[in-house]
PDB file of all heavy atoms in Angstrom:
ATOM      1  N   ASN T 427      -9.013  37.436  38.669  1.00 95.00           N
ATOM      2  CA  ASN T 427      -7.724  37.214  39.338  1.00 95.00           C
ATOM      3  C   ASN T 427      -6.638  36.906  38.305  1.00 95.00           C
ATOM      4  O   ASN T 427      -5.455  37.103  38.568  1.00 95.00           O
ATOM      5  CB  ASN T 427      -7.825  36.081  40.380  1.00 95.00           C
ATOM      6  CG  ASN T 427      -8.423  34.807  39.800  1.00 95.00           C
ATOM      7  OD1 ASN T 427      -9.190  34.848  38.841  1.00 95.00           O
ATOM      8  ND2 ASN T 427      -8.070  33.668  40.357  1.00 95.00           N
ATOM      9  N   ILE T 428      -7.023  36.459  37.110  1.00 94.00           N
ATOM     10  CA  ILE T 428      -6.059  36.180  36.033  1.00 94.00           C
ATOM     11  C   ILE T 428      -6.168  37.264  34.956  1.00 94.00           C
ATOM     12  O   ILE T 428      -5.176  37.878  34.592  1.00 94.00           O
ATOM     13  CB  ILE T 428      -6.333  34.791  35.400  1.00 94.00           C
ATOM     14  CG1 ILE T 428      -6.222  33.686  36.453  1.00 94.00           C
ATOM     15  CG2 ILE T 428      -5.383  34.527  34.233  1.00 94.00           C
ATOM     16  CD1 ILE T 428      -4.861  33.488  37.057  1.00 94.00           C
ATOM     17  N   MET T 429      -7.399  37.501  34.451  1.00 96.00           N
ATOM     18  CA  MET T 429      -7.581  38.493  33.372  1.00 96.00           C
ATOM     19  C   MET T 429      -7.992  39.814  34.002  1.00 96.00           C
ATOM     20  O   MET T 429      -9.169  40.179  34.040  1.00 96.00           O
ATOM     21  CB  MET T 429      -8.620  37.982  32.364  1.00 96.00           C
ATOM     22  CG  MET T 429      -8.044  36.875  31.513  1.00 96.00           C
ATOM     23  SD  MET T 429      -9.296  35.981  30.592  1.00 96.00           S
ATOM     24  CE  MET T 429      -9.862  34.799  31.789  1.00 96.00           C
ATOM     25  N   LYS T 430      -6.970  40.519  34.506  1.00 96.00           N
ATOM     26  CA  LYS T 430      -7.240  41.695  35.344  1.00 96.00           C
ATOM     27  C   LYS T 430      -7.809  42.846  34.534  1.00 96.00           C
ATOM     28  O   LYS T 430      -8.550  43.665  35.057  1.00 96.00           O
ATOM     29  CB  LYS T 430      -5.955  42.116  36.048  1.00 96.00           C
ATOM     30  CG  LYS T 430      -5.429  41.045  36.996  1.00 96.00           C
ATOM     31  CD  LYS T 430      -4.225  41.520  37.784  1.00 96.00           C
ATOM     32  CE  LYS T 430      -3.878  40.593  38.926  1.00 96.00           C
ATOM     33  NZ  LYS T 430      -3.306  39.323  38.538  1.00 96.00           N
ATOM     34  N   LEU T 431      -7.449  42.933  33.258  1.00 97.00           N
ATOM     35  CA  LEU T 431      -7.949  44.056  32.456  1.00 97.00           C
ATOM     36  C   LEU T 431      -9.317  43.750  31.847  1.00 97.00           C
ATOM     37  O   LEU T 431     -10.241  44.543  31.995  1.00 97.00           O
ATOM     38  CB  LEU T 431      -6.951  44.407  31.364  1.00 97.00           C
ATOM     39  CG  LEU T 431      -5.705  45.142  31.863  1.00 97.00           C
ATOM     40  CD1 LEU T 431      -4.762  45.426  30.712  1.00 97.00           C
ATOM     41  CD2 LEU T 431      -6.080  46.456  32.542  1.00 97.00           C
ATOM     42  N   SER T 432      -9.468  42.605  31.173  1.00 98.00           N
ATOM     43  CA  SER T 432     -10.751  42.340  30.503  1.00 98.00           C
ATOM     44  C   SER T 432     -11.819  41.955  31.535  1.00 98.00           C
ATOM     45  O   SER T 432     -12.788  42.686  31.749  1.00 98.00           O
ATOM     46  CB  SER T 432     -10.590  41.265  29.431  1.00 98.00           C
ATOM     47  OG  SER T 432      -9.999  40.099  29.979  1.00 98.00           O
ATOM     48  N   GLU T 625       3.549  54.460  26.100  1.00 97.00           N
ATOM     49  CA  GLU T 625       4.630  54.091  27.031  1.00 97.00           C
ATOM     50  C   GLU T 625       5.522  52.990  26.485  1.00 97.00           C
ATOM     51  O   GLU T 625       6.412  52.515  27.188  1.00 97.00           O
ATOM     52  CB  GLU T 625       4.026  53.635  28.364  1.00 97.00           C
ATOM     53  CG  GLU T 625       3.262  54.740  29.065  1.00 97.00           C
ATOM     54  CD  GLU T 625       3.004  54.461  30.548  1.00 97.00           C
ATOM     55  OE1 GLU T 625       3.017  53.275  30.932  1.00 97.00           O
ATOM     56  OE2 GLU T 625       2.801  55.434  31.291  1.00 97.00           O
ATOM     57  N   ILE T 627       6.009  49.462  23.461  1.00 98.00           N
ATOM     58  CA  ILE T 627       5.397  48.521  22.508  1.00 98.00           C
ATOM     59  C   ILE T 627       5.793  47.091  22.870  1.00 98.00           C
ATOM     60  O   ILE T 627       6.916  46.845  23.346  1.00 98.00           O
ATOM     61  CB  ILE T 627       5.846  48.864  21.057  1.00 98.00           C
ATOM     62  CG1 ILE T 627       5.059  48.033  20.033  1.00 98.00           C
ATOM     63  CG2 ILE T 627       7.349  48.663  20.875  1.00 98.00           C
ATOM     64  CD1 ILE T 627       5.265  48.502  18.587  1.00 98.00           C
ATOM     65  N   ASP T 628       4.852  46.170  22.686  1.00 98.00           N
ATOM     66  CA  ASP T 628       5.169  44.738  22.723  1.00 98.00           C
ATOM     67  C   ASP T 628       5.245  44.274  21.281  1.00 98.00           C
ATOM     68  O   ASP T 628       4.277  44.436  20.524  1.00 98.00           O
ATOM     69  CB  ASP T 628       4.071  43.947  23.452  1.00 98.00           C
ATOM     70  CG  ASP T 628       4.206  44.018  24.966  1.00 98.00           C
ATOM     71  OD1 ASP T 628       5.264  44.473  25.458  1.00 98.00           O
ATOM     72  OD2 ASP T 628       3.250  43.615  25.661  1.00 98.00           O
ATOM     73  N   PHE T 630       5.774  41.025  18.880  1.00 98.00           N
ATOM     74  CA  PHE T 630       5.732  39.549  18.905  1.00 98.00           C
ATOM     75  C   PHE T 630       6.514  39.010  17.710  1.00 98.00           C
ATOM     76  O   PHE T 630       6.335  39.486  16.576  1.00 98.00           O
ATOM     77  CB  PHE T 630       4.277  39.061  18.844  1.00 98.00           C
ATOM     78  CG  PHE T 630       3.493  39.374  20.094  1.00 98.00           C
ATOM     79  CD1 PHE T 630       3.045  40.658  20.345  1.00 98.00           C
ATOM     80  CD2 PHE T 630       3.188  38.378  21.017  1.00 98.00           C
ATOM     81  CE1 PHE T 630       2.319  40.957  21.490  1.00 98.00           C
ATOM     82  CE2 PHE T 630       2.465  38.662  22.168  1.00 98.00           C
ATOM     83  CZ  PHE T 630       2.029  39.954  22.404  1.00 98.00           C
ATOM     84  N   VAL T 655      12.937  45.700  27.634  1.00 97.00           N
ATOM     85  CA  VAL T 655      12.619  45.512  29.054  1.00 97.00           C
ATOM     86  C   VAL T 655      12.611  44.023  29.401  1.00 97.00           C
ATOM     87  O   VAL T 655      13.132  43.610  30.443  1.00 97.00           O
ATOM     88  CB  VAL T 655      11.240  46.138  29.381  1.00 97.00           C
ATOM     89  CG1 VAL T 655      10.850  45.894  30.827  1.00 97.00           C
ATOM     90  CG2 VAL T 655      11.238  47.607  29.066  1.00 97.00           C
ATOM     91  N   MET T 656      12.037  43.238  28.540  1.00 97.00           N
ATOM     92  CA  MET T 656      11.986  41.787  28.805  1.00 97.00           C
ATOM     93  C   MET T 656      11.467  41.048  27.563  1.00 97.00           C
ATOM     94  O   MET T 656      10.897  41.644  26.657  1.00 97.00           O
ATOM     95  CB  MET T 656      11.080  41.477  30.003  1.00 97.00           C
ATOM     96  CG  MET T 656       9.673  41.968  29.868  1.00 97.00           C
ATOM     97  SD  MET T 656       8.545  40.637  29.473  1.00 97.00           S
ATOM     98  CE  MET T 656       7.011  41.502  29.310  1.00 97.00           C
ATOM     99  N   SER T 658       9.060  37.558  26.939  1.00 97.00           N
ATOM    100  CA  SER T 658       8.282  36.513  27.613  1.00 97.00           C
ATOM    101  C   SER T 658       7.844  35.474  26.592  1.00 97.00           C
ATOM    102  O   SER T 658       7.805  35.754  25.383  1.00 97.00           O
ATOM    103  CB  SER T 658       7.068  37.101  28.337  1.00 97.00           C
ATOM    104  OG  SER T 658       6.094  37.475  27.393  1.00 97.00           O
ATOM    105  N   ARG T 660       4.678  32.731  26.164  1.00 95.00           N
ATOM    106  CA  ARG T 660       3.365  32.365  26.701  1.00 95.00           C
ATOM    107  C   ARG T 660       3.091  33.081  28.026  1.00 95.00           C
ATOM    108  O   ARG T 660       2.548  32.504  28.962  1.00 95.00           O
ATOM    109  CB  ARG T 660       3.238  30.850  26.881  1.00 95.00           C
ATOM    110  CG  ARG T 660       3.310  30.099  25.549  1.00 95.00           C
ATOM    111  CD  ARG T 660       2.973  28.646  25.695  1.00 95.00           C
ATOM    112  NE  ARG T 660       3.859  27.994  26.644  1.00 95.00           N
ATOM    113  CZ  ARG T 660       3.679  26.780  27.128  1.00 95.00           C
ATOM    114  NH1 ARG T 660       2.624  26.086  26.760  1.00 95.00           N
ATOM    115  NH2 ARG T 660       4.523  26.256  27.987  1.00 95.00           N
ATOM    116  N   GLY T 661       3.542  34.346  28.110  1.00 94.00           N
ATOM    117  CA  GLY T 661       3.245  35.171  29.284  1.00 94.00           C
ATOM    118  C   GLY T 661       4.259  35.065  30.409  1.00 94.00           C
ATOM    119  O   GLY T 661       4.219  35.848  31.360  1.00 94.00           O
ATOM    120  N   GLN T 662       5.197  34.130  30.334  1.00 95.00           N
ATOM    121  CA  GLN T 662       6.191  33.949  31.409  1.00 95.00           C
ATOM    122  C   GLN T 662       7.489  34.635  30.992  1.00 95.00           C
ATOM    123  O   GLN T 662       8.015  34.364  29.905  1.00 95.00           O
ATOM    124  CB  GLN T 662       6.435  32.444  31.639  1.00 95.00           C
ATOM    125  CG  GLN T 662       7.502  32.121  32.658  1.00 95.00           C
ATOM    126  CD  GLN T 662       7.107  32.535  34.074  1.00 95.00           C
ATOM    127  OE1 GLN T 662       5.938  32.492  34.444  1.00 95.00           O
ATOM    128  NE2 GLN T 662       8.086  32.966  34.854  1.00 95.00           N
ATOM    129  N   ARG T 679       7.210  37.416  23.022  1.00 98.00           N
ATOM    130  CA  ARG T 679       6.719  38.794  23.186  1.00 98.00           C
ATOM    131  C   ARG T 679       7.893  39.623  23.739  1.00 98.00           C
ATOM    132  O   ARG T 679       8.399  39.338  24.838  1.00 98.00           O
ATOM    133  CB  ARG T 679       5.538  38.800  24.166  1.00 98.00           C
ATOM    134  CG  ARG T 679       4.830  40.144  24.310  1.00 98.00           C
ATOM    135  CD  ARG T 679       5.266  40.883  25.563  1.00 98.00           C
ATOM    136  NE  ARG T 679       5.081  40.106  26.762  1.00 98.00           N
ATOM    137  CZ  ARG T 679       4.066  40.280  27.616  1.00 98.00           C
ATOM    138  NH1 ARG T 679       3.169  41.165  27.385  1.00 98.00           N
ATOM    139  NH2 ARG T 679       4.022  39.548  28.715  1.00 98.00           N
ATOM    140  N   ARG T 681       9.257  43.278  24.908  1.00 98.00           N
ATOM    141  CA  ARG T 681       8.706  44.579  25.368  1.00 98.00           C
ATOM    142  C   ARG T 681       9.779  45.666  25.292  1.00 98.00           C
ATOM    143  O   ARG T 681      10.879  45.510  25.853  1.00 98.00           O
ATOM    144  CB  ARG T 681       8.184  44.446  26.800  1.00 98.00           C
ATOM    145  CG  ARG T 681       7.722  45.780  27.383  1.00 98.00           C
ATOM    146  CD  ARG T 681       6.814  45.594  28.565  1.00 98.00           C
ATOM    147  NE  ARG T 681       5.512  45.048  28.137  1.00 98.00           N
ATOM    148  CZ  ARG T 681       4.499  44.766  28.959  1.00 98.00           C
ATOM    149  NH1 ARG T 681       4.645  44.976  30.266  1.00 98.00           N
ATOM    150  NH2 ARG T 681       3.383  44.283  28.486  1.00 98.00           N
ATOM    151  N   GLN T 683      10.535  49.784  25.946  1.00 97.00           N
ATOM    152  CA  GLN T 683      10.058  51.019  26.597  1.00 97.00           C
ATOM    153  C   GLN T 683      11.188  52.051  26.561  1.00 97.00           C
ATOM    154  O   GLN T 683      12.332  51.713  26.201  1.00 97.00           O
ATOM    155  CB  GLN T 683       9.598  50.705  28.026  1.00 97.00           C
ATOM    156  CG  GLN T 683       8.300  49.877  27.994  1.00 97.00           C
ATOM    157  CD  GLN T 683       7.592  49.760  29.323  1.00 97.00           C
ATOM    158  OE1 GLN T 683       8.022  48.991  30.170  1.00 97.00           O
ATOM    159  NE2 GLN T 683       6.511  50.499  29.488  1.00 97.00           N
ATOM    160  N   GLU T 714       1.538  45.236  19.934  1.00 97.00           N
ATOM    161  CA  GLU T 714       0.518  45.850  20.801  1.00 97.00           C
ATOM    162  C   GLU T 714       1.137  47.104  21.397  1.00 97.00           C
ATOM    163  O   GLU T 714       2.228  47.034  21.996  1.00 97.00           O
ATOM    164  CB  GLU T 714       0.116  44.919  21.960  1.00 97.00           C
ATOM    165  CG  GLU T 714      -0.609  43.664  21.554  1.00 97.00           C
ATOM    166  CD  GLU T 714      -2.068  43.870  21.152  1.00 97.00           C
ATOM    167  OE1 GLU T 714      -2.588  44.991  21.310  1.00 97.00           O
ATOM    168  OE2 GLU T 714      -2.669  42.900  20.666  1.00 97.00           O
ATOM    169  N   GLY T 715       0.480  48.244  21.249  1.00 97.00           N
ATOM    170  CA  GLY T 715       0.965  49.462  21.890  1.00 97.00           C
ATOM    171  C   GLY T 715       0.786  49.386  23.403  1.00 97.00           C
ATOM    172  O   GLY T 715      -0.187  48.781  23.876  1.00 97.00           O
ATOM    173  N   LEU T 716       1.724  49.954  24.137  1.00 97.00           N
ATOM    174  CA  LEU T 716       1.577  50.036  25.600  1.00 97.00           C
ATOM    175  C   LEU T 716       1.147  51.459  25.923  1.00 97.00           C
ATOM    176  O   LEU T 716       1.899  52.406  25.684  1.00 97.00           O
ATOM    177  CB  LEU T 716       2.905  49.718  26.287  1.00 97.00           C
ATOM    178  CG  LEU T 716       3.566  48.391  25.909  1.00 97.00           C
ATOM    179  CD1 LEU T 716       4.896  48.227  26.649  1.00 97.00           C
ATOM    180  CD2 LEU T 716       2.637  47.220  26.228  1.00 97.00           C
ATOM    181  N   TYR T 717      -0.068  51.608  26.420  1.00 97.00           N
ATOM    182  CA  TYR T 717      -0.615  52.935  26.696  1.00 97.00           C
ATOM    183  C   TYR T 717      -0.996  53.040  28.170  1.00 97.00           C
ATOM    184  O   TYR T 717      -1.398  52.051  28.792  1.00 97.00           O
ATOM    185  CB  TYR T 717      -1.880  53.200  25.868  1.00 97.00           C
ATOM    186  CG  TYR T 717      -1.641  53.116  24.383  1.00 97.00           C
ATOM    187  CD1 TYR T 717      -2.031  51.992  23.662  1.00 97.00           C
ATOM    188  CD2 TYR T 717      -1.016  54.165  23.703  1.00 97.00           C
ATOM    189  CE1 TYR T 717      -1.806  51.911  22.296  1.00 97.00           C
ATOM    190  CE2 TYR T 717      -0.783  54.088  22.334  1.00 97.00           C
ATOM    191  CZ  TYR T 717      -1.179  52.954  21.638  1.00 97.00           C
ATOM    192  OH  TYR T 717      -0.942  52.874  20.292  1.00 97.00           O
ATOM    193  N   VAL T 722      -2.719  55.590  34.273  1.00 95.00           N
ATOM    194  CA  VAL T 722      -2.816  54.202  34.759  1.00 95.00           C
ATOM    195  C   VAL T 722      -2.453  53.251  33.609  1.00 95.00           C
ATOM    196  O   VAL T 722      -3.102  53.300  32.550  1.00 95.00           O
ATOM    197  CB  VAL T 722      -4.252  53.884  35.254  1.00 95.00           C
ATOM    198  CG1 VAL T 722      -4.343  52.438  35.748  1.00 95.00           C
ATOM    199  CG2 VAL T 722      -4.685  54.871  36.319  1.00 95.00           C
ATOM    200  N   PRO T 723      -1.423  52.390  33.791  1.00 95.00           N
ATOM    201  CA  PRO T 723      -1.030  51.512  32.688  1.00 95.00           C
ATOM    202  C   PRO T 723      -2.188  50.641  32.219  1.00 95.00           C
ATOM    203  O   PRO T 723      -2.898  50.044  33.028  1.00 95.00           O
ATOM    204  CB  PRO T 723       0.085  50.642  33.297  1.00 95.00           C
ATOM    205  CG  PRO T 723       0.603  51.447  34.447  1.00 95.00           C
ATOM    206  CD  PRO T 723      -0.578  52.226  34.971  1.00 95.00           C
ATOM    207  N   GLY T 724      -2.357  50.574  30.890  1.00 97.00           N
ATOM    208  CA  GLY T 724      -3.417  49.746  30.305  1.00 97.00           C
ATOM    209  C   GLY T 724      -2.839  48.469  29.736  1.00 97.00           C
ATOM    210  O   GLY T 724      -3.246  48.047  28.655  1.00 97.00           O
ATOM    211  N   TYR T 725      -1.900  47.867  30.416  1.00 96.00           N
ATOM    212  CA  TYR T 725      -1.302  46.609  29.945  1.00 96.00           C
ATOM    213  C   TYR T 725      -0.828  45.825  31.159  1.00 96.00           C
ATOM    214  O   TYR T 725      -0.523  46.385  32.203  1.00 96.00           O
ATOM    215  CB  TYR T 725      -0.134  46.869  28.988  1.00 96.00           C
ATOM    216  CG  TYR T 725       0.854  47.901  29.477  1.00 96.00           C
ATOM    217  CD1 TYR T 725       1.974  47.538  30.228  1.00 96.00           C
ATOM    218  CD2 TYR T 725       0.660  49.264  29.219  1.00 96.00           C
ATOM    219  CE1 TYR T 725       2.863  48.499  30.703  1.00 96.00           C
ATOM    220  CE2 TYR T 725       1.542  50.222  29.684  1.00 96.00           C
ATOM    221  CZ  TYR T 725       2.646  49.829  30.428  1.00 96.00           C
ATOM    222  OH  TYR T 725       3.513  50.780  30.897  1.00 96.00           O
ATOM    223  N   SER T 726      -0.765  44.512  30.971  1.00 92.00           N
ATOM    224  CA  SER T 726      -0.364  43.671  32.106  1.00 92.00           C
ATOM    225  C   SER T 726       1.144  43.565  32.156  1.00 92.00           C
ATOM    226  O   SER T 726       1.826  43.705  31.136  1.00 92.00           O
ATOM    227  CB  SER T 726      -0.952  42.268  31.925  1.00 92.00           C
ATOM    228  OG  SER T 726      -0.485  41.707  30.724  1.00 92.00           O
ATOM    229  N   LEU T 727       1.640  43.293  33.345  1.00 84.00           N
ATOM    230  CA  LEU T 727       3.048  42.925  33.471  1.00 84.00           C
ATOM    231  C   LEU T 727       3.124  41.441  33.161  1.00 84.00           C
ATOM    232  O   LEU T 727       2.121  40.734  33.149  1.00 84.00           O
ATOM    233  CB  LEU T 727       3.550  43.209  34.880  1.00 84.00           C
ATOM    234  CG  LEU T 727       3.510  44.684  35.295  1.00 84.00           C
ATOM    235  CD1 LEU T 727       4.043  44.855  36.709  1.00 84.00           C
ATOM    236  CD2 LEU T 727       4.318  45.537  34.321  1.00 84.00           C
ATOM    237  N   SER T 728       4.323  40.954  32.934  1.00 68.00           N
ATOM    238  CA  SER T 728       4.465  39.539  32.648  1.00 68.00           C
ATOM    239  C   SER T 728       4.634  38.781  33.946  1.00 68.00           C
ATOM    240  O   SER T 728       5.135  39.338  34.921  1.00 68.00           O
ATOM    241  CB  SER T 728       5.701  39.379  31.792  1.00 68.00           C
ATOM    242  OG  SER T 728       5.695  38.152  31.203  1.00 68.00           O
ATOM    243  N   GLN T 729       4.211  37.483  33.946  1.00 65.00           N
ATOM    244  CA  GLN T 729       4.506  36.680  35.130  1.00 65.00           C
ATOM    245  C   GLN T 729       6.014  36.565  35.258  1.00 65.00           C
ATOM    246  O   GLN T 729       6.696  36.265  34.271  1.00 65.00           O
ATOM    247  CB  GLN T 729       3.898  35.296  34.992  1.00 65.00           C
ATOM    248  CG  GLN T 729       2.448  35.276  35.466  1.00 65.00           C
ATOM    249  CD  GLN T 729       1.607  34.279  34.716  1.00 65.00           C
ATOM    250  OE1 GLN T 729       2.127  33.281  34.253  1.00 65.00           O
ATOM    251  NE2 GLN T 729       0.343  34.565  34.592  1.00 65.00           N
ATOM    252  N   GLY T 730       6.514  36.849  36.463  1.00 64.00           N
ATOM    253  CA  GLY T 730       7.960  36.785  36.672  1.00 64.00           C
ATOM    254  C   GLY T 730       8.632  38.118  36.432  1.00 64.00           C
ATOM    255  O   GLY T 730       9.820  38.267  36.683  1.00 64.00           O
ATOM    256  N   GLN T 731       7.856  39.137  35.942  1.00 62.00           N
ATOM    257  CA  GLN T 731       8.487  40.446  35.686  1.00 62.00           C
ATOM    258  C   GLN T 731       8.608  41.230  36.970  1.00 62.00           C
ATOM    259  O   GLN T 731       7.687  41.191  37.783  1.00 62.00           O
ATOM    260  CB  GLN T 731       7.660  41.246  34.674  1.00 62.00           C
ATOM    261  CG  GLN T 731       8.374  42.457  34.128  1.00 62.00           C
ATOM    262  CD  GLN T 731       7.493  43.255  33.192  1.00 62.00           C
ATOM    263  OE1 GLN T 731       6.442  42.815  32.784  1.00 62.00           O
ATOM    264  NE2 GLN T 731       7.935  44.446  32.858  1.00 62.00           N
TER     265      GLN T 731
END
Side-chain angles (χ1 to χ4, degrees):
N427 52 333
I428 300 295
M429 286 167 276
K430 297 185 168 72
L431 286 179
S432 54
E625 297 197 337
I627 188 169
D628 279 348
F630 291 76
V655 177
M656 57 103 182
S658 73
R660 296 189 302 169
Q662 176 67 33
R679 187 260 304 258
R681 175 161 290 180
Q683 290 193 283
E714 293 285 353
L716 306 179
Y717 301 102
V722 180
Y725 48 91
S726 59
L727 297 181
S728 196
Q729 274 148 29
Q731 193 183 348

